[in-house]
């Protein structure tokens, strides 16, 4: 049974899409079958794994609004084990079109249900808002990763997001857990970054991942080449950071042993 992980924060520019792309790619490289679901109308996850939006025939929008079957929308990326459900700018209007749907918060959950067993992980990239599409993503997810930028206003808005997660837990998805808070855009030379990290760790303790995502040129350059950083420069700090995050998630979910056992059986 695949695990669905939402990547959410209503604050823009905190590294949500970068995390979605590179975590999904890292899990795929570690031989876990992974599906990346682009639930952000900006469609940056779609272009970030190498797809031209002009060539995308159907997207998540068609599944959520036009009842297209999700299996028909899935695209295979150049990375073995990594598939994509692409996004489209039309997704902006989906919230209004879905407003009168009965059970409108469960649309994405119902879409993913038939394919959940086909993957080890399904990673959902949410838009920087707390609208209906993000609520759909949280309702569909087993857990959520919250990227937090290492800057002065890091904790601003985090309370609001955690409150939304609590509402979703109470009313729509009682089994939703916080997978972890991920510190991003870290620069060890800045005292402020170190202060923010220790403040977030003091507040949220075990909820904060040990893996930290450093500011990294290669990480910023990779999307313009349509590649996750692990394909663009596997030795870069960014690639190593995201591999460490993937390994930490696997350990947390007791899944490293499972893959080792599979290899033994295959040999």
């Amino acid at each position: 049974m695949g695990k669905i992980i939402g990547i959410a924060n209503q604050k823009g520019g905190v590294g949500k899409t970068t995390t979605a792309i590179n975590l999904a790619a890292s899990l795929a490289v570690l031989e876990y079958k992974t599906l990346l679901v682009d639930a952000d109308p900006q469609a940056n996850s779609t272009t970030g794994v190498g797809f031209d939006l002009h060539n995308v025939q159907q997207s998540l929008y068609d599944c959520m609004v036009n009842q297209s079957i999700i299996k028909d929308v899935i695209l295979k990326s150049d990375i073995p084990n990594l598939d994509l459900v692409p996004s489209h700018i039309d997704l902006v209007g989906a919230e209004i079109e879905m407003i009168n749907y009965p059970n409108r918060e469960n649309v994405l959950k119902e879409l993913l249900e038939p394919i959940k067993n086909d993957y080890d992980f399904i990673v959902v990239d949410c838009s920087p808002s707390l609208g209906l599409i993000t609520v759909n993503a949280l309702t569909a997810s087993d857990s959520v990763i919250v990227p937090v930028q290492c800057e002065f206003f890091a904790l601003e808005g985090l309370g609001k997001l955690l409150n939304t997660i609590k509402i979703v837990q109470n009313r729509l998805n009682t089994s939703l857990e916080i997978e972890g808070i991920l510190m991003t855009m870290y620069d060890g030379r800045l005292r402020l970054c170190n202060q923010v990290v220790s403040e977030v760790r003091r507040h949220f303790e075990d909820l904060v991942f040990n893996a930290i995502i450093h500011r990294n040129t290669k990480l910023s350059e990779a999307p313009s080449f349509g590649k996750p950083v692990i394909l663009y420069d596997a030795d870069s700090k960014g690639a190593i950071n995201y591999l460490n995050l993937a390994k930490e998630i696997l350990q947390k979910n007791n899944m490293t042993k499972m893959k080792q056992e599979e290899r033994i059986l295959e040999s």
Side-chain angles (χ1 to χ4, degrees):
M1 191 75 155
K3 178 163 192 173
I4 304 177
I5 302 177
I7 315 283
N9 191 332
Q10 80 278 14
K11 206 166 181 284
V14 296
K16 268 190 309 298
T17 298
T18 302
T19 296
I21 293 169
N22 291 298
L23 172 60
S26 296
L27 289 166
V29 165
L30 293 168
E31 298 179 19
Y32 290 83
K33 199 156 170 36
T34 307
L35 176 68
L36 176 58
V37 178
D38 192 350
D40 184 350
Q42 294 175 81
N44 291 335
S45 280
T46 303
T47 54
V49 290
F51 291 96
D52 183 343
L53 293 178
H54 296 104
N55 299 332
V56 172
Q57 303 298 315
Q58 285 188 303
S59 68
L60 183 63
Y61 169 82
D62 295 287
C63 298
M64 294 189 85
V65 175
N66 301 329
Q67 280 78 54
S68 292
I69 296 163
I70 200 158
K71 272 192 174 174
D72 299 340
V73 174
I74 292 172
L75 303 171
K76 290 214 166 296
S77 79
D78 290 339
I79 304 165
N81 298 317
L82 181 62
D83 294 348
L84 171 81
V85 173
S87 184
H88 192 276
I89 189 68
D90 288 350
L91 202 57
V92 167
E95 301 205 352
I96 296 160
E97 293 177 69
M98 289 163 62
I99 209 83
N100 292 321
Y101 280 24
N103 225 8
R104 61 179 182 261
E105 295 90 358
N106 285 292
V107 174
L108 185 58
K109 183 179 180 149
E110 285 164 12
L111 282 172
L112 295 175
E113 206 62 51
I115 59 165
K116 199 173 176 182
N117 286 341
D118 299 344
Y119 294 94
D120 296 310
F121 288 97
I122 298 176
V123 177
V124 185
D125 181 21
C126 300
S127 62
S129 76
L130 293 178
L132 185 56
I133 303 290
T134 300
V135 169
N136 258 268
L138 294 175
T139 305
S141 295
D142 298 304
S143 66
V144 58
I145 290 174
V146 183
V148 173
Q149 193 176 345
C150 295
E151 54 149 52
F152 184 67
F153 295 114
L155 296 174
E156 196 184 76
L158 194 53
K160 196 175 177 186
L161 174 67
L162 295 174
N163 199 37
T164 303
I165 290 169
K166 202 167 278 181
I167 291 166
V168 171
Q169 283 169 329
N170 290 338
R171 299 183 192 172
L172 298 162
N173 182 0
T174 49
S175 57
L176 179 67
E177 294 176 346
I178 295 175
E179 190 74 33
I181 293 168
L182 177 68
M183 304 306 299
T184 63
M185 303 180 196
Y186 173 79
D187 186 340
R189 297 168 301 178
L190 302 178
R191 195 168 64 181
L192 176 65
C193 278
N194 293 304
Q195 284 173 341
V196 169
V197 171
S198 54
E199 184 74 1
V200 172
R201 284 200 196 282
R202 192 171 60 80
H203 261 44
F204 298 103
E205 298 171 344
D206 294 345
L207 277 181
V208 186
F209 284 111
N210 291 322
I212 291 180
I213 311 303
H214 291 71
R215 276 196 185 276
N216 181 245
T217 314
K218 302 292 183 187
L219 207 49
S220 310
E221 289 171 359
S224 61
F225 291 88
K227 290 179 178 181
V229 71
I230 201 156
L231 281 197
Y232 180 62
D233 185 348
D235 296 324
S236 67
K237 198 160 213 170
I240 292 160
N241 289 165
Y242 276 109
L243 264 177
N244 287 339
L245 173 65
K247 287 172 183 171
E248 191 172 341
I249 289 168
L250 291 168
Q251 282 171 345
K252 205 173 178 183
N253 289 280
N254 298 319
M255 288 179 77
T256 43
K257 205 189 292 176
M258 183 188 83
K259 190 53 81 175
Q260 283 162 2
E261 283 167 4
E262 272 178 35
R263 288 201 189 102
I264 291 162
L265 287 170
E266 281 167 11
S267 59

